[in-house]
Structures are given as C-alpha cells and as structure tokens.
Amino acid sequence: MHLNVNWEDSNEKFEVRVYTHNIRYATRNTLKGEELWEKRKYPVAASIIFNTFNQSAIVLLQEVLHNQLVDLMKLLGDEWAYCGVGRDDGRSKGEYNPIIYRRSQFKVELNRTFWLSDTPDIPSKGWDAACIRIVNVALLNHKPTGRVIYALNTHLDSQGPVARTKGAKLIKDIIETLEDHDVLIIGGDMNSEPNQDAYPIFSTFLKDAKKLVDPDLIYGNSSTFTGFTENERKRIIDYIFVFPGVKVCGYAVLNNKFEDGIYSSDHRPVVANIVIPRK
C-alpha cells in the first residue's frame, strides 16, 4: 500500500478551507422529515458554493451516489472537479467519498481508493460492517503555492464496532506509508462519538481540528448528526483531523436546515480553516 510521488519543493505559506459533509444518499424510501434528493441537492450545493467562495478549498462528501455526484458537479459548475470511485465496484456503483476541488487551485498528483477490509485493494466488505466502506486518498498540488497536501475522505460503518475500530487502524497504517507532502488532513463521517471506536485511534497520531481552536471562537453548532426530526438524538460523529503542527484558524458546524424547513441532509457540514506555515 506504499504511495509515493515526486514534487517540486516549495516554502510558500498555504491556507485552505476543508469542508466535509455527509449529504445522505438519494432514496425514494424517505424517512420522516426527509425530502427527496431533487429538493435537497440545491441547499447542499449552495452551502458548498457560499462557504468556499474566493478561497482555496477541499470538499469531502460522503454517501454520494453517482446520480448525486452528477447533479452536484453540474450545480457547482465547470470550475470544479472531483476524484474518487463508487465503493461497490471501484467505478460508479455504490456510494462515493468524492474529494472535490477547483481546477484552478489544485492538481491531483495521485488518487487511490482503499477498501476497509482484510483485502483493501479490491472491493470488499470488512469484519462486522453492514456495508462496504472505503477511504479515498488524494495527493493535491496547490497550484498557487506549490505546496502539496494529502486529503483523505472516509465514512466508517454505522453498525459494526469492529469494522470502525479496524477500519480506523487500517487508515492509520495507510497514512504511515504516505510520503512527500507538506500536510495531511482526513475528514468524514466516523460514526463514532469522541469516546467511541475510531476517535481514540485517530487522536493518537492526529489532532481533532476542533480542539485546535479557542472554544469561545468556534462557530455554529456542536452536534454534527441531527436526523430529519427535532426529536432525533443529536450526536458528534463527523470530524476533520490534521497532522500535529498544523494551525487551525477557524472551525464551524454549519446549519443543515433553515426557515424553509428543508433538511439538506441528516448531517451538518463541518468546516475548518487550516494554515500550513512556511517550513
């Protein structure tokens, strides 16, 4: 699982906004309070456009079916591109964990998907997982500065505690093989609260971006999972983790519902402003 790439060294300061959101897969069998994707796609896209305007941004999405990806890329416009594959076949079937970026800002130097199982190089379901799970790994070259960043996007299993734990350990093993980069970030839906399963594993070698910000200056909400009704138990299960030494200048959990009453998803977007200093 060794990943390596050569790149031209740079010492420019690098600022990037990382935006992660589980957008809820499109289904006709909607839950109570859930609108069809045909309505939800507009607030999902609008949030990305507004909250990444005029800045370098890396967008990590989860539960994205192919038709949803097509819809979002059309709404975002031609300036945006993505990398990633469907988890069921390594092509277009099943959910994607796409990494989305502006073409003018980033060049993908390397992209690879690993399956969270004992056979990570082929589509496969791991351990006690209810679904196939993946981590999408991309090495992005920031065109304005020449700095490079590994971005990882994952969605751990909602049912299997063994799969969450072993999946997190596998991602740790993968990260330890990655070389030749200025910084690494991983975001996504970990389906683990801060005292459960995956979170303690990630926190042994990475930093929760939220904890690198003054608590009084964190913007927005606390919980990241809301469900589609007010009575749903709210939880913190979506995160952005960064390598130690990275400065986080802002952190937010944004809204997923406004006065029109439409939930864009059962999760809220999570955003972190990251600064990679000169070497």
Side-chain angles (χ1 to χ4, degrees):
M1 293 185 294
H2 183 74
L3 300 180
N4 193 10
V5 67
N6 294 320
W7 51 279
E8 185 177 348
D9 198 12
S10 169
N11 195 33
E12 292 290 320
K13 182 180 178 182
F14 174 34
E15 299 177 351
V16 62
R17 170 163 285 188
V18 180
Y19 179 110
T20 183
H21 192 197
N22 179 329
I23 68 167
R24 168 70 171 170
Y25 69 91
T27 177
R28 292 289 167 183
N29 298 315
T30 55
L31 300 173
K32 182 180 180 180
E34 178 184 7
E35 296 284 356
L36 293 172
W37 170 247
E38 285 77 6
K39 283 189 176 181
R40 295 193 297 108
K41 65 183 179 181
Y42 295 107
V44 168
S47 179
I48 295 170
I49 293 168
F50 182 82
N51 289 293
T52 64
F53 178 73
N54 199 32
Q55 57 193 302
S56 297
I58 297 170
V59 177
L60 314 173
L61 303 180
Q62 301 87 43
E63 287 198 28
V64 186
L65 297 176
H66 186 74
N67 68 295
Q68 292 176 288
L69 188 57
V70 170
D71 287 345
L72 286 175
M73 298 312 297
K74 183 177 180 180
L75 291 171
L76 294 177
D78 292 339
E79 66 177 306
W80 291 85
Y82 77 91
C83 58
V85 297
R87 69 188 185 185
D88 288 3
D89 64 353
R91 294 185 291 274
S92 61
K93 291 184 178 180
E95 295 175 11
Y96 290 66
N97 293 349
I99 297 171
I100 303 176
Y101 58 94
R102 285 191 178 90
R103 301 175 193 272
S104 61
Q105 295 173 344
F106 292 100
K107 176 185 177 184
V108 178
E109 300 285 1
L110 181 150
N111 180 227
R112 185 170 174 184
T113 294
F114 296 95
W115 280 261
L116 302 183
S117 73
D118 287 326
T119 52
D121 296 319
I122 60 173
S124 49
K125 185 165 68 173
W127 311 293
D128 61 347
C131 301
I132 296 173
R133 300 294 179 177
I134 58 176
V135 58
N136 183 12
V137 181
L139 182 64
L140 303 173
N141 188 320
H142 186 237
K143 293 179 180 180
T145 64
R147 303 296 293 271
V148 290
I149 179 170
Y150 264 112
L152 287 78
N153 184 8
T154 196
H155 182 191
L156 300 183
D157 198 67
S158 61
Q159 302 299 315
V162 175
R164 288 192 293 271
T165 299
K166 289 195 172 185
K169 290 179 178 178
L170 178 58
I171 291 171
K172 181 177 184 289
D173 291 342
I174 292 168
I175 287 174
E176 288 174 348
T177 72
L178 304 181
E179 299 178 351
D180 297 332
H181 57 84
D182 288 308
V183 68
L184 180 144
I185 60 98
I186 177 170
D189 176 0
M190 309 305 179
N191 270 311
S192 303
E193 296 187 70
N195 61 342
Q196 294 177 328
D197 307 320
Y199 186 94
I201 295 169
F202 287 126
S203 61
T204 61
F205 69 108
L206 298 171
K207 297 292 186 182
D208 183 344
K210 181 179 181 178
K211 294 187 175 181
L212 298 179
V213 176
D214 183 335
D216 292 331
L217 297 178
I218 291 174
Y219 178 76
N221 304 280
S222 176
S223 57
T224 67
F225 175 83
T226 64
F228 289 107
T229 66
E230 296 297 328
N231 296 329
E232 187 87 30
R233 186 172 79 88
K234 309 301 187 278
R235 293 181 287 155
I236 301 172
I237 58 175
D238 304 84
Y239 305 95
I240 296 168
F241 289 96
V242 300
F243 260 9
V246 171
K247 185 176 181 181
V248 180
C249 293
Y251 183 91
V253 178
L254 305 177
N255 284 329
N256 61 346
K257 180 187 177 186
F258 295 96
E259 290 178 350
D260 61 6
I262 295 174
Y263 283 91
S264 63
S265 172
D266 51 354
H267 291 248
R268 291 167 169 153
V270 177
V271 180
N273 294 331
I274 294 171
V275 177
I276 298 91
R278 293 178 182 273
K279 298 176 185 176

